[in-house]
Amino acid sequence: MDFAAALGREIDALLGTAHRLAAPLPIPAAWRDGEGRVRSDALVDALLDVAAADDAPRWRLAVTDAELAAPGVGRVFGEAAVGGGCAAVGLGGLDGGSRCGSETLLDRATKAAVHELAHAAGLAHCADPICVMYPSLHIADTDRKAKVFCTRCREDYDNATLDAARS
């Protein structure tokens, strides 16, 4: 399975987008913490720099095989520039330490990507544990929730400020 293409198709189906793959971003050693995890803030900042250099409004999602870490927080599954159109997801943390199968990893990555892209569109967390916008503090939270928005979050997404970026 071409994981990136499959993930793109899943995201497109759920968010009404049309994905394109871009050239990989280099990950400098300075972006890694003492445990080898990639700093999610550095990755999102790099995407914001790319977006600033491009006049075309579009969302940007970085997906890395590495585990992500947020300074002062520790391991995270993803991070977004809320309302800024850029987000990152780390596959390394989504295997739950179990080296899960490709279908489980795709399901988890889809949920993380939709969640982070919705933050990038300006959405906040949701209190409904089934909604994709429910925060995932543990892999069990990710497994429990759906890939889709609850009714309220769907409405918020449909009215998001980055409508022009959906191409």
Side-chain angles (χ1 to χ4, degrees):
M1 160 175 62
D2 180 355
F3 191 86
L7 180 58
R9 285 190 301 273
E10 290 276 328
I11 294 167
D12 290 345
L14 293 163
L15 297 182
T17 53
H19 78 278
R20 299 187 292 160
L21 295 180
L25 287 173
I27 298 183
W31 291 7
R32 295 199 180 263
D33 69 6
E35 297 179 39
R37 301 175 297 195
V38 174
R39 287 186 23 242
S40 55
D41 62 330
L43 195 49
V44 170
D45 286 347
L47 289 177
L48 289 167
D49 289 344
V50 169
D54 184 359
D55 290 337
R58 62 177 60 97
W59 291 344
R60 287 172 173 77
L61 174 68
V63 179
T64 177
D65 289 342
E67 187 172 337
L68 297 179
V73 176
R75 188 205 60 186
V76 294
F77 301 125
E79 183 172 331
V82 177
C86 295
V89 170
L91 301 178
L94 291 172
D95 72 359
S98 65
R99 298 192 187 277
C100 64
S102 60
E103 286 187 34
T104 298
L105 185 59
L106 179 61
D107 183 66
R108 290 172 177 172
T110 300
K111 292 173 185 180
V114 169
H115 179 99
E116 296 305 336
L117 285 168
H119 279 319
L123 273 69
H125 282 142
C126 180
D128 181 346
I130 303 304
C131 179
V132 72
M133 291 311 295
Y134 188 79
S136 290
L137 302 176
H138 306 283
I139 201 66
D141 298 325
T142 301
D143 289 339
R144 183 175 34 257
K145 66 184 178 180
K147 295 180 194 177
V148 297
F149 300 110
C150 67
T151 302
R152 182 185 62 83
C153 290
R154 181 80 233 183
E155 184 175 310
D156 289 348
Y157 174 77
D158 288 342
N159 293 308
T161 58
L162 287 177
D163 288 335
R166 292 190 189 168
S167 58

